[in-house]
Amino acid sequence: PGGSFEAIGRPRGFVCRLFVRDDEGEVFTSKAPQANWHLVEGYEGHFEHFEGGWTVGFEAYSQDADLAPFFRGLPNDECQCEHMGYVIRGKVGFRSGGNEELFEAGDAYYVGPGHTPILCAGTEVVEVSPSKELGRTMEVVTKNMEEMEASA
């Protein structure tokens, strides 16, 4: 049923489009700062950092990938940042404590510290993470990616 945010005592929200594409399917940044876009083979992400210490990531995966190797060097070689997300299209998985959980389009998820992600081609997610922990984790991930690229 329809209704307004104000009618239920909530402030008006906003909607972000995951990616802006032209008629040929090319991504362009429009008003988004280039520094907040991350493009690597199989992955496209745009991040917004908000006051209060939260980062929202709009991500798309075009290749299947087990990202466990990128987390080497963190405690237990796992991501130490919690994430809350929503799967727009496709599916994404997480390994934690010997278990694997898969989330599909329409699922909201929470994953705590101590996991590694499994990406599936054709997936789009919106993910919210605490900025400080995400930053610490991404320092290690970036270093690992650079080392892997240099040795390839």
Side-chain angles (χ1 to χ4, degrees):
S4 71
F5 288 104
E6 293 84 6
I8 59 170
R10 301 273 186 210
R12 181 172 297 279
F14 64 92
V15 176
C16 295
R17 178 65 189 126
L18 185 57
F19 298 106
V20 180
R21 297 183 187 274
D22 66 14
D23 291 338
E24 283 76 46
E26 294 296 314
V27 174
F28 64 96
T29 59
S30 95
K31 298 178 184 174
Q34 189 65 32
N36 289 341
W37 284 88
H38 301 279
L39 300 170
V40 295
E41 188 175 344
Y43 173 87
E44 183 176 348
H46 171 71
F47 296 88
E48 292 292 332
H49 307 286
F50 291 95
E51 289 183 29
W54 292 95
T55 296
V56 177
F58 302 89
E59 303 175 75
Y61 318 129
S62 58
Q63 295 179 357
D64 293 344
D66 181 347
L67 299 188
F70 296 128
F71 295 91
R72 288 190 187 122
L74 290 164
N76 298 320
D77 294 332
E78 296 174 320
C79 180
Q80 297 301 302
C81 183
E82 64 183 321
H83 310 284
M84 295 166 277
Y86 180 78
V87 183
I88 297 169
R89 180 173 68 175
K91 55 190 173 186
V92 63
F94 297 94
R95 285 195 187 104
S96 180
N99 297 314
E100 188 174 302
E101 192 162 5
L102 189 67
F103 299 95
E104 299 184 14
D107 289 344
Y109 61 86
Y110 170 83
V111 60
H115 66 272
T116 57
I118 305 160
L119 311 183
C120 300
T123 298
E124 293 182 5
V125 301
V126 176
E127 193 168 86
V128 179
S129 309
S131 299
K132 194 174 195 179
E133 291 83 354
L134 181 62
R136 277 184 266 186
T137 297
M138 291 310 296
E139 285 178 18
V140 173
V141 168
T142 300
K143 178 179 168 249
N144 287 335
M145 288 176 70
E146 289 169 352
E147 288 174 359
M148 288 176 189
E149 187 176 300
S151 67

